[in-house]
Amino acid sequence: MTTRSTGKKTLQNFHVRNALWNLFVERAEEMECSVDYLINEAMRLYASSHGFLEIDPDFDDDERPSLPVPQGPPVPAPRMKPTVPGRAVGVPSGPPLRRTGVPAPSTPPPLPPAPRSFAQGMHASTDPGFMTGTAPKRPPLTLIFQGSKVPITQDQFIIGRGSRSSDLAIKDANISRKHAAVIYHNGAYYMKDLGSTNGVEYKGKPVDSKRIDEGDVFSVCGYELHFTYNA
């Protein structure tokens, strides 16, 4: 068998039992990751458990499958002692004490701003069209990929390798699980790189985010994504 190699990996040839290979292929499809990743991870765990490897090598976090986080049993709420109406717990009864020289309570500090979304994170100086006011009617944008027309109808259209985590899934080990997104904001669509390993290109140059105009063609690991408003 021959493993593919990208980034820090080196192409290696080896023999493997067909039953094991088929098992790894099925498991990789379930976990939405590459077979290369599973083989490297199995070798790393074996080397670590037998003392061959003192320090784990750097693995691309982008290749790691998204697994559900196990949750333990719910923690019961602490039991509170019953209180007497009009009387605080642990405070002796009696007439209220007079306090002098105590300053009036200050005004509470303002609440922190709400977290910013993907669209709000795009810089206004590099992404035209970020204006306040009533959003115009959504334009009909269509993505043409390998001859198929895909209408964009949601605010975030994810492009990536994962079949369950992406709206357009491209099965290629070079493509990140969530590689890029088409984002609708304030009446315009934008192509946004989601921190992928190999990036997004427009006219041969890498871009972080760009407004999508009529006829724009973006490239993701050699795959062309055509956009039109006149489909």
Side-chain angles (χ1 to χ4, degrees):
M1 289 295 178
T2 302
T3 58
R4 289 179 293 182
S5 61
T6 57
K8 300 179 182 179
K9 300 177 185 177
T10 303
L11 180 67
Q12 304 290 348
N13 296 325
F14 64 95
H15 296 279
V16 61
R17 292 187 178 92
N18 293 333
L20 286 176
W21 178 261
N22 294 334
L23 180 62
F24 269 64
V25 170
E26 294 176 359
R27 187 57 179 163
E29 291 178 355
E30 294 176 0
M31 299 173 65
E32 295 188 359
C33 64
S34 64
V35 180
D36 292 7
Y37 169 76
L38 289 185
I39 294 176
N40 278 267
E41 185 69 4
M43 296 175 66
R44 182 186 69 83
L45 293 176
Y46 182 88
S48 298
S49 61
H50 288 75
F52 303 156
L53 187 65
E54 296 181 358
I55 302 177
D56 287 353
D58 293 333
F59 281 82
D60 188 356
D61 289 337
D62 175 70
E63 292 188 359
R64 294 186 182 274
S66 55
L67 299 178
V69 179
Q71 297 181 355
V75 180
R79 300 181 61 183
M80 304 296 294
K81 294 183 179 181
T83 59
V84 179
R87 178 180 173 185
V89 177
V91 179
S93 60
L97 300 178
R98 297 184 60 187
R99 303 177 62 186
T100 59
V102 179
S106 59
T107 304
L111 296 176
R116 305 172 69 190
S117 63
F118 276 123
Q120 292 173 334
M122 289 191 256
H123 200 281
S125 61
T126 57
D127 295 295
F130 281 75
M131 299 177 294
T132 59
T134 304
K137 183 179 179 181
R138 183 192 296 266
L141 179 64
T142 300
L143 165 61
I144 302 176
F145 176 71
Q146 294 183 343
S148 299
K149 295 183 178 181
V150 182
I152 308 297
T153 58
Q154 56 264 55
D155 291 340
Q156 290 191 15
F157 183 91
I158 305 298
I159 301 169
R161 186 181 69 238
S163 57
R164 292 191 295 268
S165 58
S166 304
D167 298 296
L168 175 64
I170 305 175
K171 289 298 183 180
D172 191 308
N174 296 317
I175 294 180
S176 302
R177 196 163 58 252
K178 289 185 178 181
H179 197 103
V182 177
I183 298 176
Y184 179 74
H185 182 74
N186 279 1
Y189 286 98
Y190 297 83
M191 172 64 80
K192 175 71 176 176
D193 182 12
L194 299 181
S196 63
T197 301
N198 295 315
V200 177
E201 292 186 356
Y202 176 75
K203 293 184 178 181
K205 296 181 179 180
V207 294
D208 177 68
S209 62
K210 180 194 177 299
R211 178 170 175 166
I212 300 176
D213 297 320
E214 170 61 31
D216 275 353
V217 179
F218 295 86
S219 176
V220 175
C221 297
Y223 296 92
E224 291 188 345
L225 307 174
H226 298 251
F227 292 93
T228 179
Y229 293 94
N230 302 318

